[in-house]
């Protein structure tokens, strides 16, 4: 069984354009992790398309072989650096991890 790690954020931008710029920066830095974190099987970031202001603005979907792989991702220096970029813009975060 694999682990899916899903995270959603609300962004600090006050207009859809500002949120889009923030989202693109976050997407780039997070998706670059695919090439550097060995335990990461896949990671994709999507921007919310509907109901601006009501929904979260950004979602990350990532896959790991197991809980240990997710734990190693969490402490990987590249992930920590990417997290600093995310936290520059995030005002709220929710996450869920599940087996599939």
């Amino acid at each position: 069984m694999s682990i899916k790690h899903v995270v959603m954020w609300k962004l600090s931008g006050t207009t859809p354009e500002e949120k889009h710029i923030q989202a693109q920066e976050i997407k780039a830095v997070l998706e670059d992790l695919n090439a550097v974190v060995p335990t990461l099987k896949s990671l994709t970031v999507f921007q919310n398309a509907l109901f601006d202001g009501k929904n979260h603005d950004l979602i990350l979907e990532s896959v790991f072989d197991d809980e240990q792989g997710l734990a190693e991702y969490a402490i990987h220096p590249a992930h920590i650096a990417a997290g600093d970029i995310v936290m520059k813009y995030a005002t709220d975060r929710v996450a869920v991890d599940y087996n599939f």
Side-chain angles (χ1 to χ4, degrees):
M1 218 174 329
S2 297
I3 298 284
K4 185 165 275 193
H5 174 63
V6 179
V7 184
M8 292 186 294
W9 297 276
K10 285 196 175 258
L11 301 178
S12 62
T14 57
T15 66
E17 294 79 17
E18 286 178 347
K19 288 180 183 181
H20 180 72
I21 291 166
Q22 293 172 347
Q24 291 307 304
E25 183 177 348
I26 291 169
K27 178 180 175 67
V29 72
L30 288 173
E31 289 185 350
D32 283 351
L33 296 175
N34 282 301
V36 297
V37 179
T39 62
L40 181 59
K41 299 305 172 194
S42 68
L43 184 151
T44 309
V45 176
F46 302 96
Q47 188 173 356
N48 180 52
L50 301 173
F51 310 113
D52 183 50
K54 291 185 179 185
N55 291 339
H56 279 70
D57 300 301
L58 206 59
I59 185 169
L60 170 148
E61 293 182 343
S62 55
V63 176
F64 302 87
D65 284 337
D66 52 30
E67 186 177 342
Q68 180 63 33
L70 176 57
E72 290 176 24
Y73 160 82
I75 62 170
H76 192 283
H79 174 255
I80 292 169
D84 290 342
I85 301 296
V86 174
M87 296 317 297
K88 183 166 71 170
Y89 301 120
T91 62
D92 186 43
R93 176 188 182 275
V94 294
V96 65
D97 304 298
Y98 61 92
N99 295 310
F100 71 103

